[in-house]
Amino acid sequence: GAATMADAYSRMSSRVGIVSLHQGCGLTNAMTGITEAAKSRTPMIVLTADSPAAALRSNFRIDQETLVRSVGAVSERVYSADTAAADVVRAYRTAVTQRRTVVLNVAIDIATLPVSVDGPVSPRFEQPRVRPNVGVVRDLVELIAASQRPVFVAGRGGRNAGPVIAALAATTGALVATSAVANGLFAGDPFDLGISGGFSSPTTAELISDADLIVGWGCVLNQWTMRHGKLIGADARVVQVDDDVDAIGAHRPVALGVVGDCGLTAADVLDEIRRVGAAPAPRYRTDDVRSRIAESSRWQHVPVDDISTADRIDPRALTIALDEILPADRVLAIDSGNFMGYPSTHLSVPDEYGFCFTQAYQSIGLGLYTAIGAALAQPNR
């Protein structure tokens, strides 16, 4: 629970969440939450005690480094009292610049030693932003210009680039959608389709599957976001924009892979369009499509055949009522389980910081802790 609180805090605050743990069993108890954070590439530090090197027969002793690496987190260590400050800075730098969950092991015999630090330690790190290759930017401009029904799908990697992606979509006539974790990024845009994938309404699914070009912005376009590929039409071209080269094409073949920061890439594509003087066309942004989105792209607008009985409530009807009753300026945290589709589809959120979806590992039971961490990050909601 504590690990998930730190994960949710980091997601909803854009700061590095921190959780501290006991050695051995403290770490193993937190591994499910750590796994979720690691799979989600959440910048987070797990400060955990560890058994002294000499304590070979300690009942707390396990191979913590191997355990941590097995779930995709980074294992770091405080090696001595003299190196403590440098070791912590190194762990923090990795968390920020590589978007990784870092487990910092501190043997309890080292933890008892006094540390002297010369001067203040105030590291300032930012995630490096990769500018895309000029030739690849031109290739993307050509693909967009050749399309008639483009759809942009933003994921976790595009959350910090919402306005510029939206501006590019408006210029090029593209509809916009998000993966579940980026839900709310385009809230208020009349051509926002909402969540792409299993949570899509029939209208949203139809408009995405009719696209002849799908561009994933920091989105791996996996089985959940593309409904096992069913949302990709037979003739659709697929493009992925991501600053992690290993993410491109990891889940499906792509016609073009763009290695670059989503915000910088969208801005460069906009500049190139203006440079070549490509006249913007409405493409997918027609009055008919706008009306369809307004009338039926949200599950709240899809008629419900209420199957409530005297002692059971239709979860769709219940969630629609809650959406009207609860304050609109909210943070929605979702647990995992068969129920999870109803709040994800029928409760609206104000923006990308209003939806906390800790489902990369899909462990049941983390929702309450997700909510606590998100609430600490967004105390005014």
Side-chain angles (χ1 to χ4, degrees), residues 117-196:
V117 179
D118 296 329
V121 178
S122 55
R124 294 287 184 266
F125 299 116
E126 294 181 357
Q127 181 190 338
R129 302 181 68 194
V130 180
R131 181 143 245 133
N133 177 275
V134 174
V136 177
V137 168
R138 291 171 181 167
D139 291 341
L140 179 51
V141 170
E142 290 179 2
L143 283 174
I144 294 174
S147 69
Q148 294 300 314
R149 298 178 304 281
V151 172
F152 293 171
V153 183
R156 181 182 293 107
R159 287 179 78 228
N160 294 328
V164 66
I165 294 173
L168 178 62
T171 299
T172 58
L175 307 184
V176 291
T178 69
S179 66
V181 292
N183 183 27
L185 184 63
F186 302 114
D189 189 318
F191 291 98
D192 174 22
L193 297 171
I195 299 176
S196 171

Coordinates of all heavy atoms in Angstrom, one line a residue, residues 117-196:
V117 N 28.5 15.9 5.3 CA 28.4 16.4 4.0 C 29.0 17.8 3.9 O 28.6 18.7 4.6 CB 26.9 16.4 3.5 CG1 26.8 16.8 2.1 CG2 26.3 15.0 3.7
D118 N 29.9 17.9 2.9 CA 30.5 19.2 2.7 C 29.6 20.1 1.9 O 29.5 19.9 0.6 CB 31.9 19.1 2.1 CG 32.9 18.3 3.0 OD1 32.7 18.5 4.2 OD2 33.7 17.6 2.5
G119 N 29.0 21.1 2.5 CA 28.1 22.0 1.7 C 26.8 21.4 1.4 O 26.5 20.2 1.6
P120 N 25.9 22.2 0.9 CA 24.5 21.7 0.6 C 24.5 20.8 -0.6 O 25.3 21.0 -1.5 CB 23.7 23.0 0.4 CG 24.8 24.0 -0.1 CD 26.0 23.6 0.6
V121 N 23.6 19.8 -0.6 CA 23.4 18.9 -1.7 C 22.1 19.3 -2.3 O 21.0 19.0 -1.7 CB 23.4 17.5 -1.3 CG1 23.2 16.6 -2.5 CG2 24.8 17.1 -0.6
S122 N 22.1 19.9 -3.5 CA 20.8 20.3 -4.1 C 20.8 19.9 -5.6 O 21.0 20.8 -6.4 CB 20.5 21.8 -3.9 OG 21.6 22.5 -4.4
P123 N 20.7 18.6 -5.9 CA 20.8 18.2 -7.3 C 19.6 18.7 -8.1 O 18.5 18.8 -7.6 CB 20.8 16.7 -7.2 CG 20.0 16.4 -5.9 CD 20.4 17.5 -5.0
R124 N 19.9 19.2 -9.3 CA 18.9 19.6 -10.2 C 19.0 18.8 -11.5 O 19.9 19.0 -12.3 CB 19.0 21.1 -10.5 CG 18.8 22.0 -9.3 CD 17.4 22.1 -9.0 NE 17.2 23.1 -7.9 CZ 17.1 22.7 -6.6 NH1 17.3 21.5 -6.3 NH2 16.9 23.7 -5.7
F125 N 18.1 17.9 -11.7 CA 18.1 17.0 -12.8 C 16.7 17.2 -13.6 O 15.7 17.3 -13.0 CB 18.3 15.6 -12.5 CG 19.6 15.3 -11.8 CD1 19.6 14.9 -10.5 CD2 20.8 15.6 -12.4 CE1 20.8 14.6 -9.8 CE2 22.0 15.3 -11.8 CZ 22.0 14.9 -10.5
E126 N 16.8 17.0 -14.9 CA 15.6 17.0 -15.7 C 15.7 15.8 -16.7 O 16.8 15.5 -17.1 CB 15.4 18.3 -16.5 CG 15.1 19.5 -15.6 CD 14.8 20.7 -16.4 OE1 15.0 20.7 -17.7 OE2 14.5 21.8 -15.8
Q127 N 14.6 15.3 -17.1 CA 14.6 14.2 -18.1 C 15.1 14.8 -19.4 O 14.6 15.8 -19.8 CB 13.3 13.6 -18.2 CG 13.2 12.5 -19.2 CD 11.8 12.1 -19.6 OE1 10.9 12.3 -18.8 NE2 11.6 11.4 -20.7
P128 N 16.1 14.2 -20.0 CA 16.6 14.8 -21.3 C 15.5 14.7 -22.4 O 14.8 13.7 -22.4 CB 17.8 13.9 -21.6 CG 17.6 12.6 -20.8 CD 16.9 13.0 -19.6
R129 N 15.4 15.7 -23.2 CA 14.4 15.7 -24.3 C 15.1 15.5 -25.6 O 16.0 16.3 -26.0 CB 13.6 17.1 -24.2 CG 12.9 17.3 -22.9 CD 12.2 18.6 -22.9 NE 11.0 18.5 -23.8 CZ 10.4 19.6 -24.3 NH1 10.7 20.8 -23.9 NH2 9.3 19.4 -25.1
V130 N 14.7 14.5 -26.3 CA 15.4 14.1 -27.5 C 14.7 14.8 -28.7 O 13.5 14.7 -28.9 CB 15.4 12.6 -27.7 CG1 16.0 12.2 -29.0 CG2 16.0 11.9 -26.5
R131 N 15.4 15.5 -29.5 CA 14.8 16.2 -30.7 C 14.9 15.1 -31.8 O 15.9 14.5 -32.1 CB 15.6 17.4 -31.1 CG 15.1 18.2 -32.2 CD 15.2 19.7 -32.1 NE 13.9 20.3 -32.0 CZ 13.6 21.2 -31.2 NH1 14.4 21.6 -30.2 NH2 12.4 21.8 -31.2
P132 N 13.8 15.0 -32.6 CA 13.8 14.0 -33.7 C 14.6 14.4 -34.9 O 14.9 15.6 -35.1 CB 12.3 14.0 -34.0 CG 11.8 15.3 -33.7 CD 12.5 15.7 -32.5
N133 N 15.0 13.4 -35.6 CA 15.7 13.6 -36.9 C 14.9 14.4 -37.9 O 13.7 14.2 -38.0 CB 16.1 12.3 -37.5 CG 16.8 12.4 -38.8 OD1 16.2 12.5 -39.8 ND2 18.2 12.4 -38.7
V134 N 15.5 15.4 -38.5 CA 14.8 16.3 -39.5 C 14.1 15.5 -40.6 O 13.0 15.7 -41.0 CB 15.8 17.3 -40.0 CG1 15.0 18.1 -41.1 CG2 16.3 18.2 -38.9
G135 N 14.9 14.5 -41.1 CA 14.3 13.7 -42.2 C 13.1 12.9 -41.8 O 12.1 12.7 -42.5
V136 N 13.1 12.4 -40.5 CA 12.0 11.6 -40.0 C 10.8 12.5 -39.8 O 9.7 12.1 -40.0 CB 12.4 10.9 -38.7 CG1 11.2 10.1 -38.2 CG2 13.5 9.9 -39.0
V137 N 11.0 13.7 -39.4 CA 10.0 14.7 -39.2 C 9.3 14.9 -40.5 O 8.0 15.0 -40.6 CB 10.5 16.0 -38.6 CG1 9.4 17.1 -38.8 CG2 10.9 15.9 -37.2
R138 N 10.1 15.1 -41.6 CA 9.5 15.3 -42.9 C 8.7 14.0 -43.4 O 7.7 14.2 -44.0 CB 10.6 15.6 -43.9 CG 11.2 17.0 -43.7 CD 12.5 17.2 -44.5 NE 13.0 18.5 -44.2 CZ 14.2 18.9 -44.6 NH1 15.0 18.1 -45.3 NH2 14.7 20.1 -44.3
D139 N 9.2 12.9 -43.0 CA 8.5 11.6 -43.4 C 7.1 11.6 -42.7 O 6.1 11.2 -43.3 CB 9.3 10.4 -42.9 CG 10.5 10.2 -43.8 OD1 10.6 10.8 -44.9 OD2 11.4 9.5 -43.3
L140 N 7.1 12.1 -41.4 CA 5.8 12.1 -40.7 C 4.9 13.1 -41.3 O 3.7 12.9 -41.4 CB 6.0 12.4 -39.2 CG 4.8 12.5 -38.3 CD1 3.9 11.3 -38.5 CD2 5.2 12.7 -36.9
V141 N 5.4 14.3 -41.7 CA 4.6 15.3 -42.4 C 3.9 14.7 -43.6 O 2.7 14.9 -43.9 CB 5.4 16.5 -42.7 CG1 4.6 17.5 -43.6 CG2 5.8 17.3 -41.4
E142 N 4.7 14.0 -44.4 CA 4.2 13.4 -45.6 C 3.1 12.4 -45.4 O 2.1 12.3 -46.1 CB 5.3 12.7 -46.4 CG 6.3 13.7 -47.0 CD 7.5 13.0 -47.7 OE1 7.5 11.8 -47.8 OE2 8.4 13.7 -48.2
L143 N 3.3 11.6 -44.3 CA 2.2 10.6 -44.0 C 0.9 11.3 -43.6 O -0.2 10.9 -43.9 CB 2.7 9.7 -42.9 CG 3.7 8.6 -43.3 CD1 4.2 7.8 -42.0 CD2 3.1 7.6 -44.2
I144 N 1.1 12.3 -42.8 CA -0.1 13.1 -42.3 C -0.8 13.7 -43.5 O -2.0 13.7 -43.7 CB 0.3 14.1 -41.3 CG1 0.7 13.4 -40.0 CG2 -0.9 15.0 -41.0 CD1 1.3 14.4 -38.9
A145 N 0.0 14.3 -44.4 CA -0.6 15.0 -45.6 C -1.3 14.0 -46.5 O -2.3 14.4 -47.2 CB 0.6 15.7 -46.4
A146 N -0.8 12.8 -46.6 CA -1.4 11.8 -47.4 C -2.7 11.1 -46.8 O -3.4 10.4 -47.5 CB -0.4 10.7 -47.8
S147 N -2.9 11.4 -45.5 CA -4.0 10.7 -44.9 C -5.3 11.6 -45.0 O -5.2 12.8 -45.2 CB -3.7 10.5 -43.4 OG -3.7 11.7 -42.7
Q148 N -6.4 10.9 -44.9 CA -7.7 11.6 -44.9 C -8.4 11.5 -43.5 O -9.3 12.3 -43.2 CB -8.6 11.0 -46.0 CG -8.1 11.2 -47.4 CD -8.0 12.7 -47.7 OE1 -9.0 13.5 -47.4 NE2 -6.9 13.1 -48.3
R149 N -8.1 10.5 -42.8 CA -8.7 10.2 -41.5 C -7.7 9.9 -40.4 O -7.6 8.8 -39.9 CB -9.8 9.1 -41.6 CG -10.9 9.4 -42.6 CD -11.8 8.2 -42.7 NE -11.1 7.0 -43.1 CZ -10.7 6.7 -44.3 NH1 -11.0 7.5 -45.3 NH2 -10.1 5.5 -44.6
P150 N -6.9 10.9 -40.1 CA -5.8 10.7 -39.0 C -6.4 10.7 -37.6 O -7.3 11.5 -37.3 CB -4.8 11.8 -39.3 CG -5.7 12.9 -39.8 CD -6.8 12.3 -40.6
V151 N -5.8 9.9 -36.8 CA -6.2 9.8 -35.3 C -4.9 9.8 -34.5 O -4.0 9.0 -34.8 CB -7.0 8.6 -35.0 CG1 -7.2 8.5 -33.4 CG2 -8.4 8.7 -35.6
F152 N -4.7 10.7 -33.6 CA -3.6 10.8 -32.7 C -4.0 10.1 -31.3 O -5.0 10.5 -30.7 CB -3.2 12.2 -32.4 CG -2.6 12.9 -33.6 CD1 -2.3 14.3 -33.5 CD2 -2.3 12.3 -34.8 CE1 -1.8 15.0 -34.6 CE2 -1.8 12.9 -35.9 CZ -1.5 14.3 -35.8
V153 N -3.2 9.2 -30.9 CA -3.4 8.5 -29.6 C -2.3 8.8 -28.7 O -1.1 8.4 -28.9 CB -3.6 7.0 -29.7 CG1 -4.0 6.4 -28.4 CG2 -4.7 6.7 -30.7
A154 N -2.5 9.6 -27.6 CA -1.4 10.0 -26.7 C -1.4 9.0 -25.5 O -2.5 8.7 -24.9 CB -1.6 11.4 -26.2
G155 N -0.3 8.6 -25.0 CA -0.1 7.8 -23.9 C 0.6 8.5 -22.8 O 0.7 9.7 -22.7
R156 N 1.2 7.7 -21.8 CA 1.9 8.2 -20.7 C 3.0 9.1 -21.1 O 3.2 10.2 -20.5 CB 2.4 7.1 -19.8 CG 3.1 7.6 -18.6 CD 3.7 6.4 -17.8 NE 2.6 5.6 -17.2 CZ 2.3 4.4 -17.6 NH1 2.9 3.8 -18.6 NH2 1.3 3.7 -17.0
G157 N 3.7 8.8 -22.2 CA 4.8 9.6 -22.7 C 4.4 10.9 -23.3 O 5.3 11.8 -23.5
G158 N 3.1 11.1 -23.6 CA 2.6 12.3 -24.2 C 1.9 13.2 -23.2 O 1.4 14.3 -23.6
R159 N 1.9 12.8 -21.9 CA 1.1 13.6 -21.0 C 1.6 15.0 -20.8 O 0.8 16.0 -20.5 CB 1.1 12.9 -19.6 CG 0.2 11.7 -19.6 CD 0.2 11.0 -18.2 NE -0.6 11.7 -17.2 CZ -0.2 12.0 -16.0 NH1 1.0 11.8 -15.6 NH2 -1.0 12.6 -15.2
N160 N 2.9 15.2 -21.0 CA 3.5 16.6 -20.8 C 3.4 17.4 -22.1 O 4.0 18.5 -22.1 CB 4.9 16.5 -20.3 CG 5.0 15.9 -18.9 OD1 4.1 16.1 -18.1 ND2 6.1 15.2 -18.6
A161 N 2.9 16.8 -23.1 CA 2.9 17.5 -24.4 C 1.5 17.7 -25.0 O 1.3 17.9 -26.2 CB 3.7 16.7 -25.4
G162 N 0.5 17.6 -24.1 CA -0.9 17.7 -24.5 C -1.2 18.9 -25.4 O -1.8 18.8 -26.5
P163 N -0.9 20.2 -25.0 CA -1.3 21.3 -25.8 C -0.7 21.3 -27.2 O -1.4 21.7 -28.2 CB -0.7 22.5 -25.0 CG -0.7 22.0 -23.6 CD -0.4 20.5 -23.7
V164 N 0.6 20.9 -27.4 CA 1.2 21.0 -28.7 C 0.7 19.9 -29.6 O 0.5 20.0 -30.8 CB 2.7 21.0 -28.6 CG1 3.3 19.7 -28.0 CG2 3.4 21.3 -29.9
I165 N 0.4 18.7 -29.0 CA -0.2 17.6 -29.8 C -1.6 18.0 -30.2 O -2.0 17.8 -31.4 CB -0.2 16.3 -28.9 CG1 1.2 15.8 -28.6 CG2 -1.0 15.2 -29.7 CD1 1.2 14.6 -27.7
A166 N -2.3 18.7 -29.3 CA -3.7 19.2 -29.7 C -3.6 20.2 -30.8 O -4.5 20.2 -31.7 CB -4.4 19.7 -28.4
A167 N -2.6 21.1 -30.7 CA -2.5 22.1 -31.8 C -2.1 21.5 -33.1 O -2.7 21.9 -34.1 CB -1.4 23.1 -31.4
L168 N -1.3 20.5 -33.1 CA -1.0 19.8 -34.3 C -2.2 19.1 -34.9 O -2.4 19.1 -36.1 CB 0.2 18.8 -34.1 CG 0.6 17.9 -35.3 CD1 1.1 18.8 -36.4 CD2 1.7 16.9 -34.9
A169 N -3.0 18.4 -34.0 CA -4.2 17.7 -34.5 C -5.2 18.7 -35.1 O -5.8 18.4 -36.1 CB -4.8 17.0 -33.3
A170 N -5.3 19.9 -34.5 CA -6.2 20.9 -35.0 C -5.7 21.4 -36.4 O -6.6 21.6 -37.3 CB -6.3 22.1 -34.0
T171 N -4.4 21.5 -36.6 CA -3.9 22.0 -37.8 C -4.0 21.0 -38.9 O -4.3 21.3 -40.1 CB -2.4 22.4 -37.6 OG1 -2.3 23.4 -36.7 CG2 -1.8 22.8 -39.0
T172 N -3.9 19.7 -38.6 CA -3.9 18.6 -39.6 C -5.2 17.9 -39.7 O -5.3 16.9 -40.5 CB -2.8 17.6 -39.2 OG1 -3.0 17.1 -37.9 CG2 -1.4 18.3 -39.3
G173 N -6.2 18.3 -38.9 CA -7.5 17.7 -39.0 C -7.6 16.3 -38.4 O -8.4 15.5 -38.8
A174 N -6.8 16.0 -37.4 CA -6.8 14.7 -36.7 C -7.7 14.7 -35.5 O -7.8 15.7 -34.8 CB -5.4 14.3 -36.3
L175 N -8.3 13.6 -35.3 CA -9.0 13.4 -34.0 C -8.0 13.0 -33.0 O -6.9 12.5 -33.3 CB -10.1 12.2 -34.2 CG -11.1 12.4 -35.3 CD1 -12.1 11.2 -35.3 CD2 -11.8 13.7 -35.3
V176 N -8.3 13.2 -31.7 CA -7.4 12.9 -30.6 C -8.1 11.9 -29.7 O -9.3 11.9 -29.4 CB -7.0 14.1 -29.9 CG1 -6.1 15.0 -30.7 CG2 -8.2 14.9 -29.3
A177 N -7.2 11.0 -29.1 CA -7.7 10.0 -28.1 C -6.5 9.8 -27.2 O -5.4 10.3 -27.4 CB -8.1 8.7 -28.8
T178 N -6.7 9.0 -26.1 CA -5.6 8.7 -25.2 C -5.7 7.2 -24.9 O -6.7 6.5 -25.1 CB -5.7 9.5 -23.9 OG1 -6.8 9.0 -23.1 CG2 -5.8 11.0 -24.2
S179 N -4.6 6.7 -24.3 CA -4.6 5.4 -23.6 C -5.3 5.7 -22.3 O -5.5 6.8 -21.9 CB -3.2 4.9 -23.4 OG -2.4 5.7 -22.6
A180 N -5.5 4.6 -21.5 CA -6.2 4.8 -20.3 C -5.4 5.7 -19.3 O -6.0 6.5 -18.6 CB -6.5 3.4 -19.6
V181 N -4.1 5.5 -19.2 CA -3.3 6.2 -18.2 C -3.2 7.7 -18.5 O -2.9 8.5 -17.6 CB -1.9 5.6 -18.1 CG1 -1.9 4.3 -17.5 CG2 -1.2 5.6 -19.4
A182 N -3.5 8.1 -19.8 CA -3.5 9.5 -20.1 C -4.9 10.1 -20.2 O -5.0 11.2 -20.7 CB -2.7 9.8 -21.4
N183 N -5.9 9.4 -19.7 CA -7.3 9.9 -19.8 C -7.4 11.3 -19.3 O -6.8 11.6 -18.2 CB -8.1 9.0 -19.0 CG -9.6 9.3 -19.1 OD1 -10.1 9.9 -20.0 ND2 -10.4 9.0 -18.0
G184 N -8.1 12.2 -20.0 CA -8.3 13.6 -19.6 C -7.4 14.5 -20.2 O -7.5 15.8 -20.1
L185 N -6.4 14.1 -21.0 CA -5.4 14.9 -21.6 C -6.0 15.9 -22.5 O -5.5 17.1 -22.6 CB -4.3 14.1 -22.3 CG -3.1 14.9 -22.9 CD1 -2.3 15.6 -21.8 CD2 -2.2 13.9 -23.7
F186 N -7.0 15.5 -23.3 CA -7.6 16.4 -24.2 C -9.1 16.8 -23.8 O -9.9 17.2 -24.7 CB -7.6 15.8 -25.6 CG -6.3 15.4 -26.1 CD1 -6.0 14.0 -26.3 CD2 -5.3 16.3 -26.4 CE1 -4.7 13.6 -26.7 CE2 -4.1 15.9 -26.9 CZ -3.8 14.6 -27.0
A187 N -9.3 16.8 -22.6 CA -10.7 17.1 -22.1 C -11.1 18.5 -22.6 O -10.3 19.5 -22.5 CB -10.7 17.1 -20.6
G188 N -12.3 18.6 -23.1 CA -12.8 19.9 -23.6 C -12.6 20.1 -25.1 O -13.3 20.9 -25.7
D189 N -11.8 19.3 -25.7 CA -11.6 19.4 -27.2 C -12.8 18.7 -27.8 O -13.1 17.6 -27.6 CB -10.3 18.7 -27.6 CG -9.9 18.9 -29.0 OD1 -10.8 18.9 -29.9 OD2 -8.7 19.1 -29.3
P190 N -13.5 19.4 -28.7 CA -14.7 18.9 -29.4 C -14.4 17.6 -30.2 O -15.3 16.9 -30.6 CB -15.2 20.0 -30.2 CG -14.1 20.9 -30.4 CD -13.2 20.8 -29.2
F191 N -13.1 17.4 -30.6 CA -12.8 16.2 -31.3 C -12.0 15.2 -30.5 O -11.2 14.4 -31.1 CB -12.0 16.7 -32.6 CG -12.8 17.4 -33.6 CD1 -12.7 18.8 -33.6 CD2 -13.6 16.7 -34.5 CE1 -13.5 19.5 -34.5 CE2 -14.4 17.4 -35.4 CZ -14.4 18.8 -35.4
D192 N -12.2 15.3 -29.2 CA -11.6 14.3 -28.3 C -12.5 13.0 -28.2 O -13.6 13.1 -27.9 CB -11.4 14.9 -26.9 CG -11.0 13.9 -25.8 OD1 -10.3 12.9 -26.2 OD2 -11.2 14.2 -24.7
L193 N -11.9 11.9 -28.6 CA -12.6 10.6 -28.6 C -12.6 10.0 -27.2 O -13.3 9.0 -27.0 CB -12.0 9.7 -29.6 CG -12.1 10.1 -31.1 CD1 -11.3 9.2 -31.9 CD2 -13.6 10.1 -31.5
G194 N -11.8 10.5 -26.3 CA -11.7 9.8 -25.0 C -10.7 8.7 -25.0 O -9.7 8.7 -25.7
I195 N -10.9 7.6 -24.2 CA -10.0 6.5 -24.1 C -10.1 5.6 -25.3 O -11.2 5.2 -25.7 CB -10.2 5.7 -22.8 CG1 -10.0 6.6 -21.6 CG2 -9.3 4.5 -22.7 CD1 -10.3 5.9 -20.3
S196 N -9.0 5.2 -25.9 CA -8.9 4.3 -27.0 C -8.7 2.9 -26.4 O -7.8 2.7 -25.5 CB -7.8 4.6 -27.9 OG -7.5 3.6 -28.9

